[in-house]
Amino acid sequence: MAGPRSTVAPTAPTAAEAELLLLQTQALAEEEAAKAKRELLTRFLQDKLSREEQSSMWGRHKVCMLWRLAQRKTKDQELRQDIEILSQTFSRVMDCKDGVIETLVSDLKEAEEQQNRALRSHLHLMDQLLHLQRCRLGYLEEGFNAQVNALKAEFEAERCGISGGEGEW
């Protein structure tokens, strides 16, 4: 029994070993294939993740650019409206100031005319006063000359009276 077993036993374990070895090799090959597949899948997913992150970054950048563009347009419209309002306000203020300037110019012209009228009136009155004073002075001179002539005549009369009366004394 020992003999035949030993001859049969080595073939049976060899086939089992070969089958086991084959199964182990297949398992190892499947495991390596699965590992390679996982690595390939991992690389693929990492590449895809990297592309997605890059795409996401570009998308975010594009969204930010579009958002900034929209904000710029809005701000541009607001500033243009503000400028239009300020321009209209400035125009109204300038019109108001132009009106005030025109009023002041007309007031100044009127004041100059009044001053010229007052000056002419003053000069006319001064001329009248001078004429009146000259007339008065003329009358006073006439009166003075008349008094002087009267005094001269009286003096001459007294002198003649004294001269003629010298002999009487």
Side-chain angles (χ1 to χ4, degrees), residues 47-97:
D47 287 346
K48 187 173 182 179
L49 178 64
S50 174
R51 282 192 307 269
E52 284 296 321
E53 285 175 350
Q54 196 173 22
S55 176
S56 173
M57 182 181 71
W58 283 109
R60 219 179 357 244
H61 179 69
K62 190 173 182 179
V63 167
C64 285
M65 292 295 289
L66 291 173
W67 177 247
R68 286 182 189 146
L69 182 64
Q71 286 180 328
R72 282 186 194 123
K73 284 182 182 178
T74 303
K75 191 64 172 181
D76 181 46
Q77 289 174 350
E78 289 174 1
L79 290 174
R80 287 183 190 277
Q81 289 173 351
D82 289 347
I83 288 172
E84 183 63 32
I85 291 169
L86 290 173
S87 175
Q88 291 172 357
T89 303
F90 179 75
S91 295
R92 282 194 303 272
V93 168
M94 287 303 294
D95 290 343
C96 181
K97 289 187 180 199

Side-chain angles (χ1 to χ4, degrees), residues 13-37:
T14 322
E17 282 178 5
E19 190 176 326
L20 183 62
L21 188 61
L22 181 65
L23 286 176
Q24 284 178 348
T25 307
Q26 285 177 351
L28 188 59
E30 285 177 7
E31 191 176 313
E32 284 180 14
K35 184 177 178 184
K37 190 175 181 181

